[in-house]
Amino acid sequence: MSIVLENLVKRYGATPVVDHVSLEIEDGELFVLLGASGSGKSTILRIIAGLFPADEGTVWLHGRDVTNLSPQQRNVGFVFQNYSLFRHMTVAENIEFGLEIRKVPKAQRAAKRDELLELIGLAGLGGRNPRQLSGGQQQRVAVARALAFEPSVLLLDEPFGALDVKIRIQLRQTLKAVQRRLGVTTILVTHDQEEAFELADRIGVVERGRLLEVGPPVELYRRPKHEFVAQFLGSANLFAGNLQENQLHLGSLVLPVPPSPDDQPSEGQVAVLFRPEDLTLLPTNETTPVPVLGRGEVEGVQFLGTLQRVQVRLQPLPGIRPLVANYGQADVRLQVAHLSRADDHTEFPVGQPVSVGIQSFHLLPRAAPRLLLCIDETCDKEYIASATAMLPALNGGSVTVFVVGGSDAAAQQCLADARASLSGLPAVTFKARRGAPASEVLREVHEGNYDLAIVRGTAIGRLDRSSLAEEVVQHAPIPVLVVKGERSALRRLLLCTAGGEPGKLDVLFGGRLARRVGATTTLLHIASSQPQLVPAIVGEYPSTPMLVESPNGRVARHLEQGAQTLQSYGVRAEVKTRQGTVLDEILTEAREGDYDLIVIGGHLSTNAFRESNIAADVVRLADRPVLVVRGALN
């Protein structure tokens, strides 16, 4: 192997930007690290080059441990996005620079320079200065300079990002030809899927510092193993399905599942992936030779040359639920690929009724959230019992039980008690750490890339704003479930929402939880100023008047879209408004409605807990569990 990475970790503060990455790259391979901005892919590249030190892990290049070696000792060529050519040198001098500092004789330098200029298509331009070249030509010179001293590994960080489309395509072709001719092992970092598909022998998809999946481009596109990879690589129509005895149940549809690889799900809840080319369009008056997913109408047509990407809107389908939907979207949106006709005729114009048939599909395991169950040295048995009872409804995947104590002895004793209490749970990892509970829990939240943290709430009305629950709720960048009271079942959820973008996450997260546990929901808005009377927006409940605070109808639209979102999840929901002080009305509604869980957004939090922080006050004063939702809206 040319490159071997073993358990690489890099942190900025407490946040891991590279999270235990292990990877093997073969000799002569062109490997692409693909991910969104901020995913950690460039940091991985710089660790390999020796530009950044790793906090943990090992880098091997051609069988040599280079983890603690300088960049100059690693024999690595590096190409940046911004060319980084020496402006005071000619093209020839730039290419020869690495050879000159290695004391290579002048004749050999000239021969290598001329060879590379020919290889990159710039023969005869060695006497020019970089400013006399186009951006594409400068990047070719940067590649030639990186290759001049015959590195064992070539690393390229978004090398074509600053160039226009036509030049990028030309340079990709040049790079692949040069790499194939020289046989140099190459890693290229990009966020461009088309670039990755064109260049890569294999692709590694990076997300939140983790290397999610590695494989040949066609394998990752056609048969991904993660929902994120399915969505990130090309257009994806993803639905929730159920697999039973080699049959896929998708609403009322029952589809046979062909023999599958060992790594495909064999039973239970699955994600069903339809690529646009897996679906076919037919006029609704024609008999379909394939199973029909649904009927609807064409909403848009995007011309892509040989293909048309047709957007189809289906009416809500009983039992068929898309895994990715916009806030307020009650219908089903699909992307369908259709071959363009030679006569430029649009076969399926906007507005035409169509049937959508299924030609093929791919099954993925459902992504289960990663839960962090936090226990302090009190090792409160009632809290542990209540939290444990909620875990099956919240997860279905992995749980990390994190015990923190003021001393090693206290942490280890509590850990032993927790192991005994939770011995019957599957897929549980136990950790113990000594230190201040809040700071250690927050450190673990950042390092572990969890999706939900669970903490013990304090006594009702306690004004200790430095409690574990309130500190974690205040600072954790993920949703936090505060367990208090004697409730463990989740049958009725109260979703407290305010109009606008931040309130959407409350509804989305709460709706997914309600769907998972089969709970009914109430979407609550508190009108704190003069209200106006408008029709209620409800799910399966009768329509009745309600009062909402409606500046320009913004809140009314938000609530209507929230109800539609919950309906699209298959969740029974009603919308209710109350008028008065926000905190008092939330607590009153929770008590009168006998809800098992209050869900509220953490977007109102401030740098310090104050009386105006509604989420903090609800956590402090509620007599039942509270889920504070904070994170990215997606």
Side-chain angles (χ1 to χ4, degrees), residues 538-592:
V538 298
E540 299 177 3
Y541 293 76
S543 180
T544 56
M546 73 175 188
L547 293 176
V548 298
E549 181 184 20
S550 183
N552 302 319
R554 176 174 59 85
V555 171
R557 287 194 301 273
H558 173 75
L559 293 174
E560 180 179 10
Q561 291 173 342
Q564 290 173 344
T565 299
L566 295 172
Q567 289 178 31
S568 72
Y569 288 163
V571 172
R572 292 185 64 233
E574 69 170 336
V575 171
K576 182 179 286 189
T577 61
R578 300 178 69 106
Q579 186 180 5
T581 304
V582 175
L583 176 62
D584 293 342
E585 295 303 322
I586 289 175
L587 297 175
T588 300
E589 176 64 28
R591 184 173 58 254
E592 292 177 353

Coordinates of all heavy atoms in Angstrom, one line a residue, residues 538-592:
V538 N -55.5 21.9 11.4 CA -55.4 20.7 12.2 C -55.1 19.5 11.3 O -55.3 19.6 10.1 CB -56.6 20.5 13.1 CG1 -56.9 21.6 14.0 CG2 -57.8 20.3 12.2
G539 N -54.7 18.4 12.0 CA -54.4 17.2 11.2 C -55.7 16.5 11.0 O -56.6 16.8 10.2
E540 N -56.0 15.4 11.8 CA -57.2 14.6 11.7 C -58.3 15.1 12.5 O -59.4 14.5 12.6 CB -56.8 13.2 12.1 CG -55.7 12.6 11.2 CD -55.4 11.2 11.6 OE1 -56.0 10.7 12.6 OE2 -54.5 10.6 11.0
Y541 N -58.1 16.3 13.2 CA -59.1 16.8 14.1 C -60.1 17.7 13.3 O -59.7 18.3 12.3 CB -58.4 17.5 15.2 CG -57.7 16.6 16.1 CD1 -56.4 16.1 15.7 CD2 -58.2 16.2 17.4 CE1 -55.7 15.3 16.6 CE2 -57.4 15.4 18.2 CZ -56.2 14.9 17.8 OH -55.5 14.1 18.6
P542 N -61.3 17.9 13.9 CA -62.3 18.8 13.2 C -61.7 20.3 13.2 O -61.0 20.7 14.1 CB -63.5 18.7 14.1 CG -63.3 17.5 14.9 CD -61.9 17.3 15.0
S543 N -62.1 21.0 12.2 CA -61.6 22.4 12.1 C -62.4 23.3 13.0 O -63.7 23.3 13.0 CB -61.8 22.9 10.6 OG -61.3 24.2 10.5
T544 N -61.7 24.0 13.9 CA -62.4 25.0 14.8 C -61.6 26.3 14.8 O -60.4 26.3 14.4 CB -62.3 24.4 16.3 OG1 -61.0 24.1 16.6 CG2 -63.1 23.1 16.4
P545 N -62.2 27.4 15.2 CA -61.5 28.6 15.2 C -60.3 28.6 16.2 O -60.4 27.9 17.2 CB -62.5 29.7 15.7 CG -63.8 29.0 15.4 CD -63.6 27.5 15.6
M546 N -59.3 29.3 16.0 CA -58.2 29.5 16.9 C -57.7 30.9 16.9 O -57.8 31.6 15.8 CB -57.1 28.4 16.7 CG -56.3 28.7 15.5 SD -54.9 27.6 15.3 CE -54.0 28.3 14.0
L547 N -57.0 31.3 17.9 CA -56.4 32.6 18.0 C -54.9 32.5 17.7 O -54.2 31.7 18.4 CB -56.7 33.3 19.3 CG -58.1 33.7 19.6 CD1 -58.2 34.2 21.0 CD2 -58.7 34.6 18.6
V548 N -54.4 33.3 16.8 CA -53.0 33.3 16.5 C -52.5 34.7 16.4 O -53.2 35.6 16.0 CB -52.6 32.5 15.3 CG1 -53.0 31.0 15.4 CG2 -53.1 33.1 14.0
E549 N -51.2 34.9 16.8 CA -50.6 36.2 16.6 C -50.0 36.1 15.2 O -49.2 35.3 14.8 CB -49.4 36.3 17.6 CG -48.6 37.6 17.5 CD -47.5 37.6 18.5 OE1 -47.1 36.5 18.9 OE2 -47.0 38.7 18.8
S550 N -50.5 37.0 14.3 CA -50.3 36.8 12.9 C -49.8 38.1 12.2 O -50.5 38.7 11.5 CB -51.5 36.4 12.2 OG -51.3 36.1 10.9
P551 N -48.5 38.5 12.5 CA -48.0 39.6 11.7 C -47.8 39.2 10.3 O -46.9 38.4 10.0 CB -46.6 39.9 12.4 CG -46.3 38.6 13.1 CD -47.5 37.9 13.4
N552 N -48.5 39.8 9.4 CA -48.5 39.5 8.0 C -48.7 38.0 7.7 O -48.3 37.4 6.7 CB -47.1 39.9 7.4 CG -46.9 41.4 7.6 OD1 -47.8 42.2 7.4 ND2 -45.6 41.7 7.9
G553 N -49.4 37.3 8.6 CA -49.7 35.9 8.4 C -48.5 35.0 8.6 O -48.7 33.8 8.3
R554 N -47.4 35.5 9.0 CA -46.2 34.7 9.1 C -46.4 33.5 10.1 O -46.1 32.3 9.8 CB -45.0 35.5 9.6 CG -43.7 34.7 9.8 CD -42.6 35.6 10.1 NE -42.8 36.4 11.3 CZ -42.6 36.0 12.6 NH1 -42.1 34.8 12.8 NH2 -42.8 36.8 13.6
V555 N -47.0 33.8 11.3 CA -47.2 32.7 12.2 C -48.2 31.7 11.7 O -48.0 30.5 11.9 CB -47.6 33.3 13.6 CG1 -48.0 32.2 14.6 CG2 -46.4 34.1 14.2
A556 N -49.3 32.2 11.1 CA -50.3 31.3 10.6 C -49.7 30.4 9.5 O -50.0 29.2 9.5 CB -51.5 32.1 10.0
R557 N -48.9 30.9 8.7 CA -48.3 30.1 7.6 C -47.3 29.1 8.3 O -47.3 27.9 7.8 CB -47.5 31.0 6.6 CG -48.4 31.8 5.7 CD -47.5 32.3 4.5 NE -46.5 33.2 5.0 CZ -46.6 34.5 5.2 NH1 -47.8 35.1 5.0 NH2 -45.6 35.2 5.6
H558 N -46.6 29.5 9.3 CA -45.7 28.6 9.9 C -46.4 27.4 10.6 O -46.0 26.2 10.4 CB -44.9 29.3 11.0 CG -44.0 28.5 11.9 ND1 -42.8 27.9 11.5 CD2 -44.2 28.0 13.2 CE1 -42.3 27.2 12.4 NE2 -43.1 27.2 13.5
L559 N -47.5 27.7 11.2 CA -48.3 26.6 11.9 C -49.0 25.7 10.8 O -49.0 24.5 11.0 CB -49.4 27.3 12.8 CG -48.8 28.0 14.0 CD1 -49.9 28.7 14.8 CD2 -48.0 27.1 14.9
E560 N -49.4 26.3 9.8 CA -50.1 25.5 8.7 C -49.0 24.5 8.1 O -49.3 23.3 7.9 CB -50.6 26.4 7.6 CG -51.3 25.6 6.5 CD -51.9 26.5 5.4 OE1 -51.6 27.7 5.5 OE2 -52.6 25.9 4.6
Q561 N -47.8 25.1 7.9 CA -46.8 24.2 7.3 C -46.3 23.2 8.3 O -46.0 22.0 8.0 CB -45.6 25.1 6.9 CG -45.9 26.0 5.7 CD -44.8 26.9 5.4 OE1 -43.9 27.2 6.2 NE2 -44.8 27.5 4.2
G562 N -46.3 23.5 9.6 CA -45.9 22.6 10.6 C -46.9 21.4 10.7 O -46.5 20.3 10.8
A563 N -48.2 21.7 10.6 CA -49.2 20.7 10.6 C -49.1 19.8 9.4 O -49.2 18.6 9.5 CB -50.6 21.3 10.7
Q564 N -48.8 20.4 8.3 CA -48.6 19.6 7.0 C -47.4 18.7 7.2 O -47.4 17.5 6.7 CB -48.5 20.5 5.8 CG -49.8 21.2 5.4 CD -49.5 22.3 4.4 OE1 -48.4 22.7 4.1 NE2 -50.6 22.7 3.7
T565 N -46.3 19.2 7.8 CA -45.1 18.4 8.0 C -45.4 17.2 8.8 O -45.0 16.1 8.5 CB -44.0 19.2 8.6 OG1 -43.7 20.3 7.8 CG2 -42.8 18.4 8.9
L566 N -46.2 17.4 9.9 CA -46.5 16.3 10.8 C -47.4 15.3 10.1 O -47.2 14.1 10.3 CB -47.2 16.8 12.1 CG -46.3 17.7 13.0 CD1 -47.1 18.4 14.1 CD2 -45.1 16.9 13.6
Q567 N -48.3 15.8 9.3 CA -49.2 14.9 8.6 C -48.4 14.0 7.6 O -48.6 12.8 7.4 CB -50.2 15.7 7.8 CG -51.3 16.3 8.7 CD -52.3 17.1 7.9 OE1 -52.6 16.8 6.7 NE2 -52.8 18.1 8.5
S568 N -47.4 14.6 7.0 CA -46.5 13.9 6.0 C -45.8 12.8 6.7 O -45.4 11.8 6.1 CB -45.6 14.8 5.3 OG -44.5 15.3 6.1
Y569 N -45.5 12.9 8.0 CA -44.8 11.9 8.8 C -45.8 10.8 9.2 O -45.4 9.8 9.8 CB -44.2 12.5 10.0 CG -42.9 13.3 9.8 CD1 -42.5 14.2 10.8 CD2 -42.2 13.3 8.6 CE1 -41.3 15.0 10.6 CE2 -41.1 14.0 8.4 CZ -40.7 14.9 9.4 OH -39.5 15.6 9.1
G570 N -47.1 11.0 9.0 CA -48.1 10.0 9.5 C -48.4 10.2 10.9 O -48.8 9.3 11.6
V571 N -48.2 11.4 11.5 CA -48.4 11.7 12.9 C -49.7 12.4 13.1 O -50.0 13.4 12.4 CB -47.2 12.6 13.4 CG1 -47.5 13.0 14.8 CG2 -45.9 11.8 13.3
R572 N -50.5 11.9 14.0 CA -51.7 12.6 14.4 C -51.4 13.9 15.1 O -50.7 13.8 16.1 CB -52.6 11.7 15.3 CG -53.2 10.5 14.5 CD -54.1 9.7 15.4 NE -55.3 10.5 15.7 CZ -55.8 10.7 17.0 NH1 -55.1 10.2 18.0 NH2 -56.8 11.4 17.2
A573 N -51.9 15.0 14.6 CA -51.5 16.3 15.2 C -52.6 17.2 15.2 O -53.5 17.2 14.4 CB -50.3 16.8 14.4
E574 N -52.6 18.1 16.2 CA -53.5 19.2 16.3 C -52.7 20.5 16.5 O -51.6 20.4 17.0 CB -54.6 19.1 17.4 CG -54.0 19.2 18.8 CD -55.1 19.2 19.8 OE1 -56.2 19.6 19.5 OE2 -54.8 18.8 21.0
V575 N -53.3 21.6 16.1 CA -52.7 22.9 16.4 C -53.5 23.6 17.4 O -54.7 23.7 17.3 CB -52.6 23.7 15.1 CG1 -52.1 25.1 15.4 CG2 -51.6 23.1 14.1
K576 N -52.8 24.2 18.4 CA -53.5 24.9 19.5 C -52.7 26.2 19.7 O -51.5 26.2 19.7 CB -53.5 24.1 20.7 CG -54.3 24.7 21.9 CD -54.3 23.8 23.1 CE -55.3 22.7 22.9 NZ -55.5 21.9 24.1
T577 N -53.4 27.3 20.0 CA -52.8 28.5 20.5 C -53.4 28.9 21.8 O -54.5 28.6 22.2 CB -53.0 29.7 19.5 OG1 -54.4 29.9 19.4 CG2 -52.4 29.3 18.1
R578 N -52.5 29.6 22.6 CA -52.9 30.2 23.9 C -52.4 31.6 23.9 O -51.4 31.9 23.2 CB -52.4 29.4 25.1 CG -52.8 27.9 25.1 CD -52.1 27.2 26.3 NE -52.6 27.7 27.5 CZ -53.5 27.0 28.3 NH1 -53.9 25.8 27.9 NH2 -53.9 27.4 29.5
Q579 N -53.1 32.4 24.7 CA -52.6 33.8 24.8 C -52.2 34.1 26.2 O -52.9 33.7 27.1 CB -53.8 34.7 24.4 CG -53.3 36.2 24.3 CD -54.5 37.1 24.0 OE1 -55.6 36.7 23.8 NE2 -54.2 38.4 23.8
G580 N -51.1 34.8 26.3 CA -50.6 35.1 27.6 C -49.1 35.1 27.7 O -48.4 35.1 26.7
T581 N -48.5 34.9 28.9 CA -47.1 34.8 29.1 C -46.6 33.5 28.6 O -47.2 32.4 28.9 CB -46.7 35.0 30.6 OG1 -47.3 36.2 31.1 CG2 -45.2 34.9 30.8
V582 N -45.6 33.5 27.8 CA -45.1 32.3 27.1 C -44.8 31.1 28.0 O -45.3 30.0 27.9 CB -43.9 32.6 26.2 CG1 -43.4 31.3 25.6 CG2 -44.3 33.6 25.1
L583 N -44.0 31.4 29.1 CA -43.6 30.4 30.0 C -44.8 29.8 30.7 O -45.0 28.6 30.8 CB -42.6 30.9 31.0 CG -42.1 29.9 32.1 CD1 -41.5 28.7 31.5 CD2 -41.2 30.6 33.1
D584 N -45.6 30.7 31.3 CA -46.8 30.2 32.0 C -47.7 29.4 31.2 O -48.3 28.3 31.6 CB -47.6 31.4 32.6 CG -46.8 32.1 33.7 OD1 -45.8 31.5 34.2 OD2 -47.1 33.3 34.0
E585 N -48.0 29.8 29.9 CA -48.9 29.1 29.1 C -48.4 27.7 28.6 O -49.1 26.7 28.5 CB -49.3 29.9 27.9 CG -50.0 31.2 28.2 CD -51.3 30.9 29.0 OE1 -52.0 30.0 28.6 OE2 -51.6 31.7 29.9
I586 N -47.1 27.6 28.4 CA -46.5 26.3 28.1 C -46.6 25.3 29.2 O -47.1 24.2 29.1 CB -45.0 26.5 27.7 CG1 -44.8 27.2 26.4 CG2 -44.3 25.1 27.7 CD1 -43.4 27.5 26.0
L587 N -46.3 25.8 30.4 CA -46.4 24.9 31.6 C -47.9 24.5 31.9 O -48.2 23.4 32.3 CB -45.8 25.6 32.8 CG -44.3 25.8 32.7 CD1 -43.8 26.6 33.9 CD2 -43.5 24.5 32.5
T588 N -48.8 25.5 31.7 CA -50.2 25.2 32.0 C -50.7 24.2 31.0 O -51.4 23.2 31.3 CB -51.0 26.5 31.9 OG1 -50.5 27.4 32.9 CG2 -52.5 26.2 32.1
E589 N -50.4 24.4 29.7 CA -50.8 23.4 28.7 C -50.3 22.0 28.9 O -51.0 21.0 28.7 CB -50.4 23.9 27.3 CG -50.8 23.0 26.1 CD -52.3 22.8 26.0 OE1 -53.1 23.7 26.3 OE2 -52.6 21.7 25.4
A590 N -49.0 22.0 29.3 CA -48.4 20.7 29.6 C -49.1 20.0 30.7 O -49.3 18.7 30.6 CB -46.9 20.9 29.9
R591 N -49.5 20.7 31.7 CA -50.1 20.1 32.9 C -51.6 19.7 32.5 O -52.0 18.6 32.8 CB -50.1 21.1 34.0 CG -50.7 20.6 35.3 CD -50.5 21.5 36.5 NE -51.1 22.8 36.2 CZ -50.3 23.9 35.9 NH1 -49.0 23.9 35.8 NH2 -50.9 25.1 35.7
E592 N -52.3 20.6 31.9 CA -53.7 20.3 31.6 C -53.9 19.2 30.6 O -54.8 18.4 30.6 CB -54.4 21.6 31.1 CG -54.5 22.7 32.1 CD -55.2 24.0 31.6 OE1 -55.4 24.0 30.3 OE2 -55.5 24.9 32.4

